[in-house]
Amino acid sequence: MSDFLPNSDDPSFEQFISDIRNCRVCHDHPRYGQPMEPEPRPIIQVSQTACICIASQAPGTRVYQSGKPFNDASGVRLRQWMGISDEDFYDDSKIAIIPMGFCFPGLRSDGSDLPPRRECKEIWRSQLFARLPNLKLLLTIGGYAQRWHMGPQTAKQGVTETVRAWRQYYLADPSLRVYPLPHPSWHNNRWLTQNVWFEDEVLPQLRSDIRSLIA
């Protein structure tokens, strides 16, 4: 079989998620470039009742080892930004976590993470979001997620200007409020120091919206 596809034309949600968790396309039948070196381990958190979705980049090494999304320092900061407990964050009935690449993509020669594999968005993401009818709030973290969810113009203006224009995206669709966010990695400590408006302007509204949805 040259590619991996859902088991039927219209699988149940449970079967569809099982298919995602068993996907090996990037390792066994890559569409782009070399086969992914790490053993596939798709890591997502999702249910059809989720009202909040975190669209992130791809699992890092620690998350790959644990199998738990944002189980690292970036996750600690993200939960602080959102103003929620670990219990609420990992409650899949409330919060979905869907990275652009479901598996850890491996490392570059300099030790940094490779970009998310492109296969995930082509095979799975559109179908997955079509099966999530209750989403009210979408957090797009970093440029990869912002380009896919918010359009190619975000690639031209970059993450800083996209996040700075957050109100434009937030107000665009009252049925699905969108927040573009920088990555909560420690690599962005300087960015946060240089852009204090993010914590002053964006986070209070974000926390208020989250409280209203998961109270």
Side-chain angles (χ1 to χ4, degrees):
M1 186 173 182
S2 63
D3 215 344
F4 187 97
L5 297 172
N7 284 337
S8 68
D9 291 336
D10 187 20
S12 69
F13 186 75
E14 292 75 15
Q15 181 61 60
F16 183 74
I17 298 304
S18 177
D19 290 343
I20 289 177
R21 297 192 192 282
N22 288 303
C23 181
R24 297 182 57 88
V25 169
C26 298
H27 187 278
D28 297 349
H29 308 288
R31 293 182 174 185
Y32 305 98
Q34 297 298 312
M36 185 178 69
E37 290 187 6
E39 185 68 16
R41 190 180 192 182
I43 299 171
I44 61 171
Q45 172 179 301
V46 66
S47 77
Q48 289 188 292
T49 62
C51 56
I52 299 169
C53 179
I54 300 166
S56 53
Q57 182 164 306
T61 53
R62 182 170 176 178
V63 170
Y64 174 66
Q65 292 165 0
S66 69
K68 190 172 184 178
F70 282 102
N71 184 31
D72 53 18
S74 295
V76 173
R77 174 174 276 170
L78 178 58
R79 290 186 281 281
Q80 291 173 345
W81 285 357
M82 297 171 69
I84 60 174
S85 66
D86 288 8
E87 181 181 4
D88 281 331
F89 186 83
Y90 289 113
D91 184 345
D92 66 6
S93 70
K94 302 173 183 177
I95 296 179
I97 303 174
I98 304 174
M100 290 301 301
F102 300 152
C103 293
F104 170 54
L107 298 173
R108 294 187 174 96
S109 59
D110 64 2
S112 61
D113 290 359
L114 288 166
R117 297 288 303 209
R118 294 161 60 184
E119 286 89 342
C120 290
K121 64 183 180 182
E122 293 183 357
I123 298 172
W124 300 113
R125 287 188 117 253
S126 294
Q127 295 186 67
L128 178 52
F129 277 90
R131 289 168 164 81
L132 303 179
N134 294 304
L135 294 183
K136 304 297 182 187
L137 194 65
L138 175 65
L139 282 56
T140 60
I141 297 179
Y144 291 103
Q146 288 161 13
R147 284 192 292 275
W148 196 84
H149 286 279
M150 299 158 58
Q153 77 278 0
T154 61
K156 298 177 182 179
Q157 60 195 31
V159 172
T160 297
E161 293 309 312
T162 299
V163 177
R164 195 185 299 276
W166 69 276
R167 289 186 180 87
Q168 168 190 334
Y169 300 104
Y170 178 81
L171 296 172
D173 182 1
S175 67
L176 180 64
R177 299 294 193 183
V178 177
Y179 281 93
L181 302 178
H183 198 283
S185 166
W186 64 270
H187 290 290
N188 278 337
N189 284 350
R190 177 179 292 183
W191 188 94
L192 293 169
T193 300
Q194 294 173 340
N195 296 275
V196 294
W197 52 266
F198 172 72
E199 293 194 13
D200 293 342
E201 299 175 16
V202 182
L203 295 188
Q205 183 64 52
L206 174 64
R207 290 166 181 158
S208 176
D209 285 345
I210 290 173
R211 284 195 302 270
S212 69
L213 287 171
I214 68 173

